[in-house]
Amino acid sequence: MPGFPAPLALVNPELSPDERAGVAPLREAAVALPWLAVDASGGPTPNLTLAAILHPDEPGLDRFFAQIPAWVEQIAVVWDGRRPHTFPDDPRLTDATRPLDDFAAQRNACLDLCAGEWVLFLDGDELLPDWGWKEVRRVLAAPPAEALALPRATLYPDAEHAKVGYGLWPDVQLRLFRRTESVRFERPVHERLTGHQGPAALLRSPAILHESRLRKTPEQILAKLDRFREAGGPSHMLNPDYPSRPLVELPGSTPVPGGSPEALVLPSKGS
């Protein structure tokens, strides 16, 4: 797959041996598939809800809300336990409070607030650049699939570099999808989207910019990883050995001048 390194073709290590054997043909097919240009010229403005599960003390919430462009019709938020003291003043906001017990349940509660035809989930420490929001709008004018994954770059040690290595780049996130009654999240940690119709597609760009390592201290990150473990997930640790590379070297981090958005449509298991 041009522009992405080989780890994109690796099978998810969390799968059981039987599951890994079942998806091996899918991996081989995906490697051989072509990237397709998305013909998004002249399409309508999509009806999109930006959805998020947020902690009220998350650093940088002002940056998170400031990124959302005017064409996004709704903002749906489920707060962890309580609303923040400084409340976002946006008439598009629909919100609720719920103690975070497992991440899939929290996302499903947020999904229940959503009214848009399409939903984009972002976390409180994630951003899209201005050009990235424009690219999302273009893609949704002629979507190549009902569920769309985006690459994610974890910025470190500054906003011009990102961590690379297994699980860090490309960190593929299925976050953008058409809202239907069957679409739900499963698993208490490392939740997965299920129930979408047809195959999913991987967008080459835009990359989600993950600012967790820039906004939080190592102690705060370790406390978050402990929470993942307490919710039933595997143990995590900060690995100092993963190198950082200039963000501009990673596909999806900068726009292609004059280029059309590109997608890789992945076959379903049964195809």
Side-chain angles (χ1 to χ4, degrees):
M1 286 174 280
F4 282 92
L8 182 60
L10 294 179
V11 174
N12 187 337
E14 296 180 9
L15 299 179
S16 68
D18 289 344
E19 290 174 320
R20 289 172 63 85
V23 300
L26 173 61
R27 176 193 60 182
E28 294 168 4
V31 171
L33 291 172
W35 288 89
L36 304 175
V38 179
D39 183 9
S41 58
T45 298
N47 182 344
L48 178 68
T49 293
L50 185 280
I53 57 173
L54 300 176
H55 192 282
D57 298 324
E58 174 76 30
L61 283 179
D62 53 342
R63 281 171 51 77
F64 176 82
F65 285 101
Q67 71 173 310
I68 306 171
W71 61 266
V72 173
E73 295 196 10
Q74 183 195 21
I75 304 167
V77 173
V78 171
W79 301 101
D80 181 3
R82 62 174 175 81
R83 291 180 172 88
H85 299 300
T86 302
F87 199 73
D89 183 17
D90 194 312
R92 300 173 293 173
L93 180 64
T94 302
D95 74 318
T97 60
R98 182 184 184 279
L100 175 57
D101 48 7
D102 78 58
F103 287 87
Q106 199 81 341
R107 289 197 189 275
N108 286 333
C110 189
L111 191 55
D112 290 339
L113 300 177
C114 296
E117 179 184 4
W118 286 85
V119 176
L120 170 64
F121 263 96
L122 291 178
D123 292 339
D125 55 9
E126 295 176 341
L127 302 173
L128 289 177
D130 289 343
W131 68 265
W133 282 102
K134 293 175 183 176
E135 191 140 305
V136 166
R137 183 175 181 176
R138 292 180 64 195
V139 167
L140 291 186
E146 301 290 277
L148 304 168
L150 287 75
R152 182 173 71 164
T154 296
L155 305 183
Y156 187 82
D158 52 44
E160 284 71 48
H161 292 78
K163 299 291 283 183
V164 295
Y166 184 75
L168 287 174
W169 182 264
D171 180 9
V172 178
Q173 300 283 327
L174 190 61
R175 299 290 192 85
L176 181 60
F177 54 91
R178 191 184 298 273
R179 185 177 62 88
T180 66
E181 291 184 1
S182 63
V183 172
R184 304 301 283 177
F185 289 91
E186 297 180 354
R187 297 175 32 142
V189 180
H190 297 313
E191 58 279 14
R192 292 177 181 171
L193 185 73
T194 64
H196 56 84
Q197 302 300 308
L202 169 63
L203 299 178
R204 190 191 293 273
S205 63
I208 298 170
L209 304 180
H210 189 205
E211 294 189 339
S212 179
R213 295 292 302 273
L214 301 185
R215 298 187 192 180
K216 299 181 177 71
T217 66
E219 292 75 20
Q220 289 173 319
I221 295 174
L222 288 172
K224 182 177 180 179
L225 297 180
D226 285 342
R227 190 167 191 182
F228 288 159
R229 177 181 53 79
E230 292 167 0
S235 296
H236 294 72
M237 61 183 298
L238 289 178
N239 191 329
D241 296 329
Y242 284 171
S244 293
R245 299 296 302 168
L247 190 62
V248 295
E249 294 182 3
L250 304 181
S253 63
T254 57
V256 178
S260 297
E262 291 185 314
L264 183 73
V265 180
L266 300 173
S268 60
K269 289 183 182 180
S271 61

